[in-house]
Amino acid sequence: MAVSVAGVIPVMHLAAALPRAGAGYFYASRLLGPAAGGVISAWILFGGACGGCVVALGLAQYLPHQSLPGGPYGLALLLIAGLFGVYRFGVRLALGLQALMAIQMLLALLLYIVPGLAHRTPDLTWTPPAGEAVFLLAVVMAYNCAMGFAILAELAEEIRDPRRTIPFAIGLGAAVVGTVYIGVAVAFIAAAPYGFDAYRTMRAPLLDTAEAFLPPAAVA
């Protein structure tokens, strides 16, 4: 949380004071020069593309893929192509679909968290079971998952009253996302006590552990 706050505060100030489209390029080009702005913009696009591929592959693990060529990789490519097709029908349709998918994901995670926490109390400790180095690596990975706040800076030009809306949206979003992330992690640890070898064999960790405390219809 402290690492995320350190990263979000300057972004929040810049986006609220200078609401511009293409904020990644604009801020970097003014601070370091146009070349730096171009490099950072390319990194943002490349990172988003890589993130989309990883998410598609993760989603494919939760869906039937055994009969497809390439297995989960083939299904991930189909998912990316399908979403690209949706964008071809216009941004308005894509945004509406994205909102529905976000609501569905939030409801699914809450369906996992609440019964999961009621099912079993996790055995938590202040000592990292795999050592401090692995814990610090997990912090870095968690920070990458919390980079969504930067999107608000890119959209600042289209936000009404950015000086008020951006800090409010980031604060509310961080509270909701942080609560859900922690809830999912605690429920997962309660259902599957720490064991790296056991984790590696899980095809879809949330589904595999949800079967211990949710009826089949809820798992589906």
Side-chain angles (χ1 to χ4, degrees):
M1 181 65 71
V3 176
S4 296
V5 169
V8 74
I9 288 179
V11 174
M12 186 188 303
H13 279 287
L14 280 171
L18 299 170
R20 293 289 297 268
Y25 173 81
F26 177 74
Y27 301 148
S29 64
R30 292 298 185 275
L31 181 64
L32 302 173
V39 170
I40 289 177
S41 296
W43 281 352
I44 292 173
L45 291 173
F46 182 69
C50 292
C53 293
V54 172
V55 170
L57 183 59
L59 177 59
Q61 299 286 352
Y62 283 80
L63 300 173
H65 57 259
Q66 288 77 10
S67 60
L68 292 174
Y73 295 95
L75 181 55
L77 289 174
L78 288 177
L79 290 171
I80 294 174
L83 290 175
F84 177 76
V86 170
Y87 273 98
R88 297 293 295 174
F89 286 96
V91 175
R92 188 180 300 275
L93 174 62
L95 289 177
L97 179 61
Q98 184 176 2
L100 291 176
M101 292 172 65
I103 294 172
Q104 181 270 331
M105 181 177 67
L106 180 60
L107 292 176
L109 292 177
L110 291 176
L111 182 62
Y112 179 87
I113 293 170
V114 176
L117 295 179
H119 173 70
R120 182 183 300 168
T121 301
D123 182 18
L124 301 178
T125 176
W126 288 104
T127 303
E132 288 74 10
V134 175
F135 174 76
L136 292 176
L137 178 60
V139 170
V140 174
M141 298 298 292
Y143 177 72
N144 288 332
C145 294
M147 288 294 289
F149 61 76
I151 296 175
L152 281 173
E154 299 289 338
L155 300 175
E157 188 178 50
E158 304 171 27
I159 295 176
R160 292 182 180 179
D161 191 9
R163 190 178 297 274
R164 174 185 178 276
T165 303
I166 290 177
F168 175 76
I170 290 178
L172 179 62
V176 173
V177 172
T179 300
V180 172
Y181 274 24
I182 293 172
V184 168
V186 174
F188 175 79
I189 293 172
Y194 179 79
F196 182 71
D197 293 333
Y199 291 171
R200 286 199 304 175
T201 62
M202 292 183 180
R203 178 184 63 85
L206 295 189
L207 285 185
D208 292 347
T209 52
E211 293 173 351
F213 54 82
L214 287 177
V219 174

